[in-house]
Amino acid sequence: MDSLIDLLRNSGTSEQQALMLVLLLVTLPLLALFTMQQRAGKPVALRPIQAFHRVREFIGRGAETGRPIHVSLGTGGIADASTAESLAGVTFMGHIAGQSIASGAPLIVTVSDPTLLPLAQETALHAWESRQYGCDAAEPEVRLVAPEPVAYAAGVMDTLLGEHVAANVMVGKFGHEYLLMGETGIRTRTPQIAGGIDPQTLAFIQATADEVLIGEEIFASGAYLNPKPTHIASLRVQDWLRVLVTVVILVGVILRSV
Amino acid sequence: MIYCPNCGTANKDGSGFCNQCGHKLGSGSKTVCPSCGAPNPIENVFCDSCGAKLAPLVTKGAEEKPGVKGLSLPTKPLDEEVPEETPEGASEDVPDWLHRLRYVTGADQEPLATEKPAPELDAPMPPQDLGGEGEAEIPDWLRQLRAAAPPTEEAQVEPPAQEQPEGEPSKEEPAEAEVPEWMRQIGAEVQQAVAAAEAAEVKSDSEPVTEETPSISPLAETPAEPEEKAIAEEAPLQEPLPQEVLPVAVAAVALPEEPPPGETPAPAEAREAILPPAVPEEVGPPEEQEEAPPVPPASEEALAAWLQEEGPVILEAGEEAAEGETIVFAPEEYPAVALPQAEIPAWLESLAPGGGMRPDALGPAFAGKLTPEEAGLERAQIPAWLELLRPGRAKEGEIPVEETAEESGILEGVRGALRLVEAIDPSPETQARAVSESAAVTPERAELLTRLLGESTSSLVKPKPIPTQAVRERGLPWLTALLLVAAVVLPFFLPGLVPGGNTVPASTPAEALASSVQSLQPGDTVLVSFDYDPGVSTELDWPARIVLDDLKQKGVNILLMGTTPTGPGLAARFDWTGAQMVNLGYLPGQEMGLQQLTAGITGAALAGFGGAVPDAPFGVRSLSDVKLILTVASSQETIRWWVEQVGTQVQTPIAAIVSAAIEPAVRPYYASDQLAGLVSGWVGGQAYQRGSGSSSTENKDVIALEAQSLAHLVIAGLIVLGNIAYWGKRLIGRQS
Amino acid sequence: MKGKFGRSLVTAITISTGILVLVNFFVRNDFLRQVQKTLLDWAIILAAVALILGIFNILASHARKIQNKKSGWPYSLFLLAAMGTVIVLGLADPRGPASPSVSWIFEYVQVPLQATIFALLAFFVASAAYRAFRVRSVDSFIMLIVGLIVLLGQVPIGQAIWGRIADAKDWILSYPSTGGARGIILGAALGAVLVGLRVLLGIDRPHVE
């Protein structure tokens, strides 16, 4: 390993760059291969994720009661490291928007980061403009609450308390302020689905949400809700990379110990 | 989620007991979907699995009831099963006899199925056909033409049984309907004629029957002689009937056994062919059969005689019927059979197109004929089982069913039909009566509805919660709040309440930071980044101030900045009197901005705070010129940005002051030597003080530590209390 | 952007800039570094513009609420008034957020308010702990014990209860807790890499509708 590192340094490549290069060289071919396999129709069994299954129930609840469905995209934006989580939340929100508009359930989307606002608006409006002729669903409402996480949580609490939402979906980047929103949902007896990748926030999510999306499950919404070959191929690549990383860790531990 | 049936608390799926009250959550708290059988939470309206409605609005039986307007008579009692064999082209709603009726009148052009024999065109069609059993078969009256006649005393039609149990059809009714009294009389007369014919000579010519015959009607109480009739030529058959569906007598007449060409078959032979084969008596009530006198067997000559007189004449091809004779039918395949013109009873004429009852009774197809009353028909008694099916049977004081003609549907023009429509579309009288009955109630209800609609939803009174549930819902948060407030306030009044409250646990990372600060020299520059939100300022301000005070005392130069918009403002709140400090302001872009910062301070997009950023503050142009980078952060990601973007590019040590909540996530960075020091929360601050050799003797610091200890103890106690309450209720629930 | 050409253009821009930044990570080239810096500057500027868009969104949302007299509309009115006040005061002084008036509002209004709301977490944590740490199985029992050790190990009173509770807490936080957290973070990181690659290669185009 040390010789490898020396070799890299001599070539002017840092460890970070080398690792990134290896990751790309492994990921891209796998992604292409699995995408071709999925387009050819290879069957893949995805384990059930209850959160995606219950979304339909939540939308039905909103359609029945006429109360809005609230979707929170978290405190992240698309100009920083939380872009992936924000995009995952937007993907999930897009699916919910399409289903709720088709069923007539009102939709409220709240964001904290201003950079996420145009993307969320565009996604929600696209779903609304794609509605079928004769559909009288209300136009979804996308709101910027506040850039500060705590202020954002206070605004969402007000939405949950004041607008009597039928269901609450929170997928994105959240910090400790999540507990303020989650507990409010518990107190108002609002069914909740929540997901994030921060382990500490996941503890709060587990204690308050009805269905939880743990870590990478928030990135699987595309494959579960709108299965395209590329999404399913992406999940398979993730599985392969996870195994690869596990093997590398084990090998490294063994080599270090010997 | 499973909602507790006792207190309504939401519980996670799979829970066996309610978290709140301990009530058992079994199958009783779920609703089973009637469509797919999947269990659903009680509050569900739609099934989670298949989407079916969990509480159907109507019963299954109600949906299956026919809703055809104008349908008056079901083909069978509703208790009976629908026979699987139905004539082809006949729908389930259309009874067989009606289907045949339509066929005869030409309304139903589809040929009858060969499986079921076509309606016997010669057979009298009773207006009320009460059953579909064996109607297409050779009626018993025809069989009886070959057999001995039943006694005349049984000519009286027995009234239908009135004492049938509800819902059960009279099993004798079909038998009676199939063998009406007038048909029995035919048999009786046949027997008499047979006896008479034995002694008489066979006549060669048949005479048309001129005497009037009473109208034949199965409904008539007085029997009438059966007459063979002619079917009007206005109702030609679309296609010839297959031989097997022909009545026996007609078939025998139509197809004599191989008559030699050009020769007229001998009358005897012809009549022999006409004779129906002797069949044993099968039909007829046992009582009638027992009482019937023995019928002498029919002899060929005797039967032939009366048939000769009144029977049909087989016409040769091209031969025309004599005056007074009517051709029964003349399909191409069969020789024409001429029947003496007889007076056709009204009910039989009604089968003919253009004849029959009044238009308003039978429809436009039967215009200009006698009404049933004019034809001597009397209304048949509706059997008890059918009477039970009359919708809205007239009770005392109720408006009876009107005997009006059907205006639409398949029974258009039929009078006296039971108005099922009465239940669906009540008559004005019924409606008026209903209105009058509800007149007293309607204003009250209307007033209530108006009042409810006028009220705003906000003024609606919420249902009162269950007392125990209300206490739990309101009491628990209040109890929690009181305990926590007490934990914070009590140390102010009772210092030293917490044993060992001022004992600061050892913290190596905090002491490491203290060492790093102690190693600084006057004139060194330290970059301090305020990367936390105002929400956690109460936790991080104090340890940050301790470290900054040490830096000020050391005489180091301090560069302030922030990766959050509020960072520089938070930094500005500290007392910088006598300190060498420059506030570089907000650095946008988060980790991208930090990446730019590694290239140089002037290249970064630092906005400055209260003034422009100097070109080289304290001679610092890049991060390499800084001796220590200290970040005060409330999120793990900020530490990661600094470590990944800056720690890998520059050799300057990085230390962190973090919230105690993120310490577990940040500690690995210290363990891997990516952080030079780590102070977490108030406890870390006090540990730093001990490490720097300046333990705080201020009372408020000790009180703060005691308050924190008490608060942790309260939360731990709440956790234990929650488990005690949960298990206690569970045990109580089990015992009860 | 609507239309096929618009969508293609946006996708092309996305792919080209992404590849540019990625190549710059591997290849040390001054030109590429300058291009990357320019692109990052533009991204920062766009984020600031997005903030202005957000301000208009807040204005529209709360104005609609006030106009329709929805429940809680006085709070919307107060919010708009406060936002306007701070903006006006900040623009009026050339020092901007460092001006005394804005600093005063920040120190005596914003910070205490946010701290107060964040302090609610204490009560919510207690309430969540009361509900979440119910012993229903072996796993939940272990979680309860671990939670109590970490909770009391953070404060001096824990030392008074059990002298070695701090060591137990450190061990729990360093090994099992960190191991589990790292597993989640690894999986999430891989997911994020795949999402980024999908956007980079134009496979996923959430920004193009």
Side-chain angles (χ1 to χ4, degrees):
Chain A
M1 182 60 102
D2 292 334
S3 58
L4 184 63
I5 293 172
D6 292 336
L7 182 66
L8 287 171
R9 281 185 187 150
N10 291 338
S11 66
T13 309
S14 67
E15 286 178 31
Q16 243 187 351
Q17 290 170 331
L19 285 170
M20 191 62 184
L21 195 61
V22 168
L23 186 65
L24 283 175
L25 288 176
V26 170
T27 304
L28 290 173
L30 278 178
L31 187 61
L33 173 67
F34 291 150
T35 303
M36 283 193 306
Q37 284 184 352
Q38 291 312 125
R39 283 194 177 137
K42 177 174 176 143
V44 171
L46 300 177
R47 67 176 173 90
I49 295 180
Q50 195 65 8
F52 298 133
H53 180 70
R54 286 199 70 187
V55 158
R56 193 177 46 176
E57 172 199 335
F58 289 2
I59 293 170
R61 189 188 300 269
E64 283 177 40
T65 58
R67 287 160 26 195
I69 297 171
H70 173 252
V71 178
S72 167
L73 298 180
T75 57
I78 56 171
D80 50 26
S82 59
T83 302
E85 297 153 80
S86 303
L87 288 179
V90 168
T91 304
F92 200 9
M93 184 271 287
H95 173 82
I96 293 174
Q99 295 286 313
S100 65
I101 287 165
S103 63
L107 180 69
I108 297 174
V109 182
T110 54
V111 299
S112 173
D113 196 299
T115 57
L116 189 56
L117 178 65
L119 180 61
Q121 280 179 329
E122 192 63 33
T123 304
L125 282 175
H126 175 76
W128 186 69
E129 287 169 358
S130 304
R131 70 190 187 285
Q132 289 185 356
Y133 179 77
C135 173
D136 59 351
E139 189 175 339
E141 204 176 329
V142 182
R143 304 174 188 164
L144 173 72
V145 178
E148 290 290 322
V150 176
Y152 172 74
V156 171
M157 286 165 69
D158 177 66
T159 301
L160 296 178
L161 286 168
E163 308 213 23
H164 305 289
V165 298
N168 187 24
V169 178
M170 295 185 282
V171 176
K173 175 179 180 288
F174 293 96
H176 296 148
E177 75 283 348
Y178 166 85
L179 190 61
L180 299 171
M181 301 182 282
E183 273 292 308
T184 305
I186 288 283
R187 286 171 194 276
T188 55
R189 299 201 176 171
T190 305
Q192 300 185 105
I193 293 176
I197 65 172
D198 182 14
Q200 292 182 324
T201 310
L202 280 172
F204 294 144
I205 291 174
Q206 185 70 30
T208 55
D210 297 316
E211 302 296 340
V212 182
L213 292 169
I214 300 175
E216 58 195 338
E217 289 176 356
I218 67 172
F219 302 115
S221 60
Y224 278 81
L225 299 174
N226 187 18
K228 291 181 185 174
T230 50
H231 288 149
I232 299 178
S234 175
L235 281 187
R236 292 181 62 193
V237 172
Q238 269 180 256
D239 287 344
W240 275 72
L241 288 179
R242 202 178 305 116
V243 170
L244 188 65
V245 167
T246 307
V247 168
V248 168
I249 290 173
L250 285 173
V251 168
V253 166
I254 292 169
L255 289 177
R256 271 288 189 189
S257 307
V258 170
Chain B
M1 293 295 281
I2 303 173
Y3 287 86
C4 174
N6 185 38
C7 65
T9 305
N11 295 273
K12 288 195 183 293
D13 284 334
S15 299
F17 299 88
C18 175
N19 286 339
Q20 200 72 7
C21 68
H23 190 83
K24 188 169 183 182
L25 302 175
S27 59
S29 63
K30 284 189 181 291
T31 305
V32 178
C33 174
S35 174
C36 67
N40 288 271
I42 284 180
E43 79 287 356
N44 271 17
V45 179
F46 296 102
C47 174
D48 290 345
S49 295
C50 66
K53 202 170 179 75
L54 292 178
L57 295 175
V58 295
T59 59
K60 197 175 179 185
E63 291 172 349
E64 292 176 351
K65 286 180 182 172
V68 178
K69 190 173 181 179
L71 179 66
S72 59
L73 284 177
T75 56
K76 64 198 77 54
L78 291 179
D79 292 342
E80 292 184 5
E81 293 181 354
V82 179
E84 293 181 355
E85 295 179 354
T86 53
E88 187 175 348
S91 65
E92 290 182 355
D93 292 334
V94 180
D96 297 342
W97 65 269
L98 190 60
H99 176 71
R100 284 192 287 272
L101 177 65
R102 292 164 80 181
Y103 181 84
V104 168
T105 57
D108 189 349
Q109 302 299 321
E110 295 178 11
L112 297 175
T114 55
E115 293 178 2
K116 202 166 184 181
E120 296 166 346
L121 302 177
D122 290 344
M125 299 292 293
Q128 292 185 0
D129 192 50
L130 305 179
E133 300 173 346
E135 285 185 280
E137 300 172 355
I138 299 171
D140 298 315
W141 69 270
L142 196 57
R143 285 205 191 96
Q144 285 187 344
L145 287 177
R146 311 167 189 159
T152 54
E153 294 82 32
E154 304 304 324
Q156 191 92 16
V157 175
E158 290 185 359
Q162 299 285 346
E163 298 172 352
Q164 292 294 328
E166 281 196 25
E168 291 182 4
S170 168
K171 296 194 177 167
E172 295 181 356
E173 295 301 328
E176 283 194 5
E178 291 173 359
V179 188
E181 202 50 45
W182 65 272
M183 290 184 184
R184 290 201 194 94
Q185 280 201 335
I186 295 174
E189 290 174 359
V190 165
Q191 295 301 323
Q192 292 173 4
V194 165
E198 286 179 353
E201 294 180 357
V202 175
K203 295 184 181 178
S204 59
D205 295 335
S206 62
E207 296 177 358
V209 175
T210 54
E211 56 185 6
E212 290 185 359
T213 56
S215 59
I216 299 172
S217 167
L219 304 178
E221 293 185 359
T222 57
E225 292 183 355
E227 290 181 350
E228 297 182 64
K229 64 204 180 300
I231 302 296
E233 294 182 353
E234 289 85 3
L237 294 175
Q238 295 296 320
E239 55 184 77
L241 293 173
Q243 184 167 2
E244 55 270 23
V245 304
L246 292 177
V248 171
V250 178
V253 168
L255 288 178
E257 297 176 5
E258 299 180 357
E263 290 185 10
T264 305
E269 293 175 356
R271 285 158 202 140
E272 184 180 3
I274 293 172
L275 289 178
V279 294
E281 285 188 347
E282 294 177 354
V283 186
E287 305 83 19
E288 293 179 3
Q289 290 179 357
E290 289 172 8
E291 295 175 14
V295 178
S299 68
E300 296 179 359
E301 294 182 353
L303 288 174
W306 78 272
L307 282 176
Q308 264 190 320
E309 291 173 358
E310 302 179 12
V313 173
I314 302 174
L315 302 178
E316 295 292 334
E319 185 181 355
E320 295 182 357
E323 189 178 355
E325 288 181 348
T326 307
I327 299 177
V328 177
F329 57 47
E332 295 177 359
E333 303 163 14
Y334 307 109
V337 176
L339 285 180
Q341 182 82 40
E343 186 176 343
I344 300 173
W347 69 266
L348 202 55
E349 279 189 347
S350 66
L351 300 178
M357 302 180 188
R358 287 205 308 264
D360 59 344
L362 292 178
F366 306 99
K369 296 298 175 182
L370 298 174
T371 64
E373 291 76 12
E374 293 168 357
L377 297 176
E378 292 189 11
R379 188 169 186 75
Q381 301 230 3
I382 298 173
W385 63 266
L386 193 59
E387 186 69 35
L388 296 173
L389 300 175
R390 182 196 296 273
R393 280 190 300 163
K395 298 175 187 171
E396 260 189 40
E398 282 192 1
I399 298 173
V401 174
E402 292 181 14
E403 290 195 2
T404 56
E406 295 293 333
E407 299 170 2
S408 61
I410 59 176
L411 292 181
E412 181 180 347
V414 176
R415 295 182 66 213
L418 291 176
R419 294 289 298 266
L420 282 178
V421 72
E422 201 58 42
I424 304 165
D425 182 17
S427 60
E429 289 79 2
T430 310
Q431 286 180 339
R433 191 170 146 275
V435 167
S436 65
E437 280 182 350
S438 63
V441 184
T442 301
E444 293 180 6
R445 291 181 181 170
E447 188 184 352
L448 175 63
L449 181 63
T450 307
R451 195 171 74 243
L452 286 173
L453 290 174
E455 287 179 0
S456 62
T457 55
S458 60
S459 65
L460 286 177
V461 178
K462 287 185 183 176
K464 283 188 177 179
I466 304 169
T468 53
Q469 183 182 354
V471 166
R472 207 176 295 121
E473 280 190 355
R474 280 190 234 140
L476 191 60
W478 276 106
L479 178 66
T480 307
L482 279 172
L483 287 174
L484 285 175
V485 168
V488 170
V489 170
L490 272 177
F492 282 96
F493 300 100
L494 299 170
L497 177 69
V498 178
N502 54 0
T503 306
V504 177
S507 172
T508 310
E511 292 169 4
L513 176 58
S515 308
S516 299
V517 170
Q518 293 304 314
S519 66
L520 292 171
Q521 301 299 323
D524 288 339
T525 305
V526 174
L527 177 66
V528 182
S529 179
F530 283 76
D531 304 325
Y532 60 97
D533 298 322
V536 292
S537 60
T538 49
E539 182 186 10
L540 291 177
D541 279 353
W542 184 75
R545 185 165 60 243
I546 293 175
V547 176
L548 288 173
D549 287 344
D550 273 0
L551 290 175
K552 279 194 301 185
Q553 286 179 2
K554 279 285 180 181
V556 298
N557 301 323
I558 301 172
L559 290 175
L560 300 175
M561 61 167 280
T563 57
T564 62
T566 54
L570 290 168
R573 292 157 53 239
F574 289 87
D575 181 16
W576 299 105
T577 309
Q580 301 291 325
M581 181 273 290
V582 172
N583 198 330
L584 301 175
Y586 170 52
L587 179 67
Q590 296 177 346
E591 53 193 330
M592 288 188 296
L594 290 176
Q595 196 182 50
Q596 286 187 335
L597 189 65
T598 58
I601 292 178
T602 52
L606 287 163
F609 190 77
V613 177
D615 193 21
F618 306 117
V620 173
R621 294 187 183 278
S622 70
L623 292 178
S624 304
D625 301 331
V626 175
K627 292 296 181 195
L628 179 67
I629 297 173
L630 181 66
T631 171
V632 188
S634 61
S635 74
Q636 171 215 347
E637 280 188 338
T638 308
I639 305 300
R640 185 169 60 84
W641 300 338
W642 280 100
V643 168
E644 290 180 356
Q645 304 296 333
V646 176
T648 57
Q649 302 294 326
V650 296
Q651 302 299 319
T652 307
I654 303 173
I657 300 172
V658 300
S659 168
I662 66 167
E663 191 222 347
V666 178
R667 182 186 281 264
Y669 290 108
Y670 173 78
S672 59
D673 296 330
Q674 290 175 300
L675 284 178
L678 179 64
V679 171
S680 64
W682 278 21
V683 177
Q686 297 217 348
Y688 170 87
Q689 276 187 327
R690 191 167 68 179
S692 64
S694 58
S695 297
S696 173
T697 55
E698 290 187 31
N699 196 29
K700 63 177 180 162
D701 296 335
V702 176
I703 290 172
L705 212 52
E706 286 189 3
Q708 191 174 0
S709 294
L710 268 182
H712 280 232
L713 200 61
V714 163
I715 294 174
L718 283 172
I719 291 173
V720 174
L721 184 67
N723 275 282
I724 292 171
Y726 172 70
W727 280 98
K729 284 192 174 65
R730 215 174 140 175
L731 287 171
I732 292 171
R734 273 188 189 165
Q735 286 172 3
S736 62
Chain C
M1 290 182 67
K2 300 201 189 300
K4 203 171 181 182
F5 175 73
R7 288 195 290 270
S8 304
L9 183 63
V10 171
T11 307
I13 292 172
T14 307
I15 295 174
S16 56
T17 51
I19 290 176
L20 201 70
V21 175
L22 195 61
V23 168
N24 186 54
F25 179 78
F26 292 106
V27 178
R28 295 182 194 280
N29 185 282
D30 291 337
F31 173 74
L32 287 176
R33 193 175 289 271
Q34 190 60 36
V35 170
Q36 180 188 345
K37 184 180 179 306
T38 307
L39 289 174
L40 291 177
D41 288 341
W42 291 356
I44 292 168
I45 294 168
L46 285 174
V49 171
L51 184 61
I52 297 173
L53 285 177
I55 292 172
F56 284 116
N57 179 275
I58 291 174
L59 272 170
S61 170
H62 288 275
R64 200 182 315 126
K65 199 173 178 183
I66 294 168
Q67 186 181 8
N68 296 334
K69 293 285 193 296
K70 286 186 182 176
S71 70
W73 68 269
Y75 301 110
S76 295
L77 188 63
F78 181 78
L79 182 144
L80 292 181
M83 187 173 75
T85 303
V86 174
I87 289 174
V88 166
L89 289 175
L91 291 174
D93 194 308
R95 287 170 289 184
S99 64
S101 52
V102 177
S103 297
W104 186 92
I105 293 174
F106 177 78
E107 185 168 351
Y108 294 104
V109 178
Q110 182 174 352
V111 171
L113 278 175
Q114 287 199 349
T116 304
I117 294 174
F118 210 75
L120 289 174
L121 267 183
F123 300 98
F124 287 161
V125 165
S127 173
Y130 178 83
R131 194 178 53 250
F133 284 97
R134 298 281 169 85
V135 177
R136 294 189 211 92
S137 61
V138 177
D139 297 340
S140 57
F141 176 72
I142 293 172
M143 194 173 79
L144 170 69
I145 300 299
V146 166
L148 287 174
I149 291 173
V150 173
L151 189 62
L152 296 175
Q154 300 268 16
V155 289
I157 198 168
Q159 298 266 4
I161 297 172
W162 180 33
R164 302 201 62 184
I165 197 169
D167 298 332
K169 178 210 74 173
D170 286 340
W171 183 89
I172 288 170
L173 290 178
S174 299
Y175 295 102
S177 172
T178 303
R182 279 181 174 170
I184 294 174
I185 292 169
L186 264 173
L190 291 173
V193 165
L194 265 297
V195 166
L197 276 176
R198 291 209 307 258
V199 175
L200 195 74
L201 299 174
I203 298 171
D204 248 356
R205 285 171 280 184
H207 49 289
V208 178
E209 295 294 350

